[in-house]
Amino acid sequence: MFMQRGEGAYLYDVEGRSYIDYVGAWGPMIVGHAHPSVLEKIKSTVDQGICFGTPHPLETEMAEKLCQLVPSLEKVRLVNSGTEAAMSAIRLARGVTARDRIIKFAGCYHGHADALLVQAGSGALTHGVPSSPGIPASTVEHTEIAQYNNAGEVQEIFADRGDQIAAIIVEPIAGNMGCVLPDPGFLEALRDCCDRYGSLLIFDEVMTGFRVGPGGAQQRFGITPDLTVLGKVIGGGLPVGAFGGRAEIMEQLAPLGPVYQAGTLSGNPVTMAAGLATLNLIEQDGFYEALGDGAARLVQGLREQAGAHDVSFEAVEATGMFGIFFTSGDPVRCYADVQACRAEDYQLFFHHMLKQGVYLAPSSYEAGFLSSAHTQQEIDRTVEAAGIAFDAVRRENQ
Ligand SMILES: *Cc1c(COP(=O)(O)O)cnc(C)c1O
């Protein structure tokens, strides 16, 4: 599908068909497409030149805003993608701890840096390639995989070789295998392991940052990671990433410290403009309440329609994101549970929704996203379309 234009909650393809958009460019478009104040800020910034390779006031403004909004951030470094941010955070964690091993969770995606592309969620999962050709085995030999929501497994790894673990990296709400919430106590257990063994806890909030609340998942769950990785929303739709954390850790980065990191286009004024305009909008009173109300209405409506059509189904929401699962009936808590869902039913559902002008992610391993431009009207139309799509799924399975 080729899209030509976006406005608010809608995308328009090259043939002029319109779609209610639940992909949101895979996360950034939390205020909807072509928001006037975002476009205006981009245009007025572009008029003064695009990129200078020096510090720029907007970059500092962005850094200050991120540190003000995200609880664990004392210092932050802007980069150009979530991939770059996660990769750099890992390098920093390894540099600071002088250890090599990292723990990641099956189904969590942290961008496509080699060491992190192991059982990596979304695109990688859909295509059935847990890791990718082109990655030497030696590159991932220090990457340990655990199951999401399995604290016991992590504790065992730590008991065996905790003194070798530089960091745990985790999506505090997993959004690259649908939308999977952490069990109560799971993130606390990770924090505890890191504290006991001198390892760093890295929250990858590229997706959840500014989507599940103004301070991300760490604020929602009241857990302070050592490092936080950001992206998506903070660029307002332009290429961006960021990572930050405690000052004493961040000061180990070049040029203050020995851990190298740099980027020609990092913190460029145009991206900062788009990001800041977006963050200004999300700071308005009631923004997340409205977003969460919309998600709750959508998820509730989908559940009711699935029930009415006898389709075994589960929907999960976390304020600005949601996951839908064609389950066997058991709750979805980890990657193995997601794999056990009926992918063919999701495909059928997806195509029936698309035909009715509702654009969901084409893969059941992706989370869905709402924006502040999605009103009750769009949500109710989506739920209505879902009734027809669920009916098609039921008939196919008879
Ligand atoms: C999207 C995503 C990334 C990668 O960000 P890019 O900007 O696509 O490189 C990393 N981590 C998470 C959790 C993501 O959702």
Side-chain angles (χ1 to χ4, degrees):
M1 279 198 310
F2 287 72
M3 294 300 174
Q4 186 78 54
R5 191 167 73 77
E7 192 181 337
Y10 292 87
L11 284 176
Y12 299 84
D13 70 14
V14 288
E15 276 140 36
R17 281 185 296 252
S18 73
Y19 302 87
I20 304 174
D21 177 24
Y22 290 101
V23 178
W26 309 101
M29 310 314 290
I30 198 162
V31 297
H33 295 283
H35 192 290
S37 62
V38 177
L39 297 188
E40 210 171 282
K41 180 93 176 164
I42 292 174
K43 286 174 193 165
S44 66
T45 305
V46 162
D47 280 345
Q48 300 178 65
I50 294 169
C51 194
F52 311 122
T54 68
H56 185 278
L58 289 180
E59 183 183 10
T60 305
E61 198 183 317
M62 171 65 83
E64 281 169 353
K65 173 131 315 205
L66 295 177
C67 291
Q68 171 207 327
L69 290 173
V70 181
S72 69
L73 296 190
E74 292 175 8
K75 288 196 167 195
V76 65
R77 175 72 53 96
L78 272 307
V79 296
N80 300 296
S81 68
T83 295
E84 201 188 328
M87 177 187 83
S88 305
I90 294 288
R91 180 183 306 143
L92 180 57
R94 285 172 162 165
V96 166
T97 58
R99 300 172 180 178
D100 290 339
R101 287 192 177 279
I102 55 173
I103 297 178
K104 81 173 280 293
F105 295 91
C108 281
Y109 179 65
H110 307 294
H112 60 86
D114 283 358
L116 296 170
L117 207 53
V118 188
Q119 300 202 20
S122 318
L125 289 180
T126 303
H127 299 122
V129 189
S131 51
S132 164
I135 299 177
S138 58
T139 308
V140 295
E141 76 186 359
H142 300 301
T143 308
E144 312 247 7
I145 305 296
Q147 286 298 315
Y148 202 76
N149 277 328
N150 190 338
E153 194 181 354
V154 175
Q155 283 155 348
E156 270 170 38
I157 295 173
F158 270 92
D160 187 52
R161 45 196 180 278
D163 60 347
Q164 299 170 35
I165 309 284
I168 301 177
I169 186 165
V170 64
E171 289 181 69
I173 293 173
N176 285 284
M177 48 172 168
C179 177
V180 178
L181 298 173
D183 287 348
F186 174 61
L187 297 173
E188 287 84 349
L190 303 185
R191 180 67 276 176
D192 183 57
C193 282
C194 288
D195 287 343
R196 276 205 278 155
Y197 290 88
S199 311
L200 301 188
L201 180 60
I202 305 175
F203 274 9
D204 181 346
E205 300 226 43
V206 171
M207 188 181 286
T208 52
F210 305 100
R211 182 154 285 283
V212 303
Q218 57 193 267
Q219 186 174 59
R220 191 182 174 111
F221 298 121
I223 296 180
T224 309
D226 300 293
L227 288 172
T228 297
V229 184
L230 295 166
K232 296 191 171 128
V233 167
I234 66 166
L238 293 180
V240 82
F243 64 104
R246 284 208 310 280
E248 85 212 39
I249 298 174
M250 291 303 288
E251 280 161 8
Q252 294 301 309
L253 269 185
L256 288 183
V259 180
Y260 188 71
Q261 192 283 325
T264 302
L265 302 170
S266 296
N268 80 82
V270 186
T271 298
M272 297 301 102
L276 281 166
T278 301
L279 294 183
N280 284 337
L281 290 166
I282 62 132
E283 278 190 285
Q284 288 172 359
D285 273 353
F287 183 91
Y288 287 101
E289 287 77 3
L291 201 60
D293 287 349
R297 187 180 181 91
L298 175 66
V299 159
Q300 182 59 24
L302 293 176
R303 284 190 195 124
E304 282 168 14
Q305 290 289 7
H309 293 92
D310 258 342
V311 174
S312 169
F313 174 86
E314 183 186 325
V316 177
E317 56 88 10
T319 312
M321 58 195 274
F322 62 92
I324 61 184
F325 301 103
F326 288 82
T327 62
S328 53
D330 295 327
V332 175
R333 296 173 53 247
C334 67
Y335 170 47
D337 296 340
V338 179
Q339 280 182 305
C341 292
R342 304 185 307 278
E344 333 71 68
D345 283 359
Y346 183 85
Q347 285 310 311
L348 200 62
F349 184 77
F350 163 80
H351 283 290
H352 277 276
M353 293 299 273
L354 195 65
K355 246 190 277 180
Q356 299 177 82
V358 178
Y359 175 45
L360 296 166
S363 157
S364 58
Y365 289 105
E366 306 282 357
F369 300 114
L370 281 101
S371 79
S372 52
H374 289 70
T375 67
Q376 263 186 28
Q377 192 192 325
E378 281 80 32
I379 290 165
D380 291 349
R381 235 198 77 204
T382 303
V383 170
E384 204 182 302
I388 293 169
F390 279 125
D391 193 51
V393 170
R394 182 188 57 82
R395 278 185 284 116
E396 183 71 19
N397 284 335
Q398 261 172 0

